Amino acid sequence: MARAATTTDVFNAVAEPRRREILALLSNGQEWAVNDVVVRMRMAQPAVSKHLGVLRQVGVVTTVKR
């Protein structure tokens, strides 16, 4: 059986360890700026944005424009 695409299946999206780390960071309900996540995770900004994009596509995180 073929796996669902990471961007359409929540289980595949959260199977990636760094995404689970990001979710753990965001799990307290506090809003985080992307740059704050970058600093906290010690990851490059494009990588964090990509992971957040996948998590957003599967409905696990939301964004707020300021």
Side-chain angles (χ1 to χ4, degrees), residues 9 14 24 35-36 38 44 54:
D9 179 60
V14 298
N35 287 332
D36 294 335
V38 167
V54 170

Side-chain angles (χ1 to χ4, degrees), residues 10-39:
V10 70
F11 293 106
N12 284 337
V14 298
E16 208 287 333
R18 296 300 280 187
R19 288 192 197 114
R20 287 196 308 272
E21 289 178 36
I22 291 171
L23 287 173
L25 177 67
L26 302 176
S27 68
N28 67 359
Q30 175 184 346
E31 290 182 4
W32 289 77
V34 173
N35 287 332
D36 294 335
V37 176
V38 167
V39 170

